[in-house]
């Protein structure tokens, strides 16, 4: 304890340290640090998103192909170059003793590029800066994978299958239907 003397009155009284002062300073310092970290995080999230605006974030892959830093047209070109074509091959339709095939290209089987690239471009771009920062950190640490999506013209496929079924149709003569090994006979 220290003392102080007031010379006007020649009184000596003890000078007590305020017990709340160190806690107030520590609390203020803590809040100021927390605010600074929050502002830094928000600035980082906004800046990181702006640097990669219109591009796929690093760490994002689509169907196993890394598209980091690519914009939509470049990412689609990369996917078309690397992924196998889905229009090659055929669907075999077996009706009775007849087999007919329909080429995948005949009913427009292809990757759903719009959907896959929308998903890839949406990674790390949350609705607010807190969610955006969380997503970006998660992608930077763990990466993110967008699975392949396939599309085709369902109406065209149904029409071709119906035509094949109609051509294979015959009048029943003493017919029975049985199921053997997962197939109807």
């Amino acid at each position: 304890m220290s003392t102080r003397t007031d010379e006007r009155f020649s009184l000596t009284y003890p000078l007590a340290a305020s017990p709340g002062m160190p806690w107030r300073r520590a609390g203020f310092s803590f809040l100021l640090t927390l605010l600074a970290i929050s502002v830094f995080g928000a600035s980082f999230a906004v800046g990181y998103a702006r640097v990669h605006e219109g591009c796929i974030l690093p760490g994002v892959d689509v169907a196993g192909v890394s598209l980091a830093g690519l914009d939509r047209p470049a990412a689609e070109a990369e996917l078309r170059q690397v992924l196998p074509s889905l229009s090659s091959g055929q669907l075999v339709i077996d009706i009775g003793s007849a087999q007919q095939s329909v080429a995948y290209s005949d009913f427009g089987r292809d990757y759903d590029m719009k959907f896959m690239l929308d998903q890839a471009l949406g990674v790390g771009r949350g609705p607010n800066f807190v969610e955006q920062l969380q997503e970006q950190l998660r992608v930077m640490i763990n990466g993110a994978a967008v699975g392949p999506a396939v599309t085709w013209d369902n109406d065209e496929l149904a029409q071709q299958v119906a035509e094949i079924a109609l051509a294979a149709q015959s009048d029943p003569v003493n017919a029975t239907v049985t199921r053997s090994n997962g197939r109807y006979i």
Side-chain angles (χ1 to χ4, degrees), residues 110-159:
D110 195 13
Y111 292 102
D112 191 349
M113 288 293 178
K114 181 182 179 337
F115 176 77
M116 292 188 311
L117 293 175
D118 285 347
Q119 295 294 312
L121 285 164
V123 172
R125 291 175 173 84
N128 59 53
F129 75 90
V130 174
E131 289 179 28
Q132 187 170 324
L133 180 62
Q134 288 173 340
E135 275 188 54
Q136 289 171 356
L137 288 173
R138 190 173 24 253
V139 170
M140 285 173 43
I141 294 169
N142 300 323
V146 175
V150 178
T151 185
W152 61 84
D153 184 349
N154 210 32
D155 293 335
E156 180 65 29
L157 176 60
Q159 178 185 348

Side-chain angles (χ1 to χ4, degrees), residues 96-117:
S97 61
Q99 277 190 347
Q100 284 193 316
S101 61
V102 177
Y104 290 145
S105 60
D106 288 350
F107 57 92
R109 181 177 173 224
D110 195 13
Y111 292 102
D112 191 349
M113 288 293 178
K114 181 182 179 337
F115 176 77
M116 292 188 311
L117 293 175

Side-chain angles (χ1 to χ4, degrees), residues 3-81:
T3 60
R4 179 175 176 190
T5 306
D6 192 340
E7 295 176 9
R8 289 182 292 167
F9 301 108
S10 291
L11 293 172
T12 304
Y13 53 92
L15 215 115
S18 172
M21 285 301 270
W23 288 106
R24 285 184 190 157
R25 277 191 206 144
F28 178 74
S29 296
F30 175 76
L31 290 176
L32 189 60
T33 303
L34 188 62
L35 178 66
I37 290 171
S38 298
V39 167
F40 173 76
S43 300
F44 175 79
V46 170
Y48 192 75
R50 291 232 173 150
V51 165
H52 296 95
E53 192 170 341
C55 296
I56 297 172
L57 295 177
V60 176
D61 69 73
V62 175
V65 179
S66 175
L67 300 177
L70 298 178
D71 62 359
R72 183 180 289 271
E76 182 172 351
E78 179 73 11
L79 288 173
R80 294 261 181 228
Q81 180 181 2

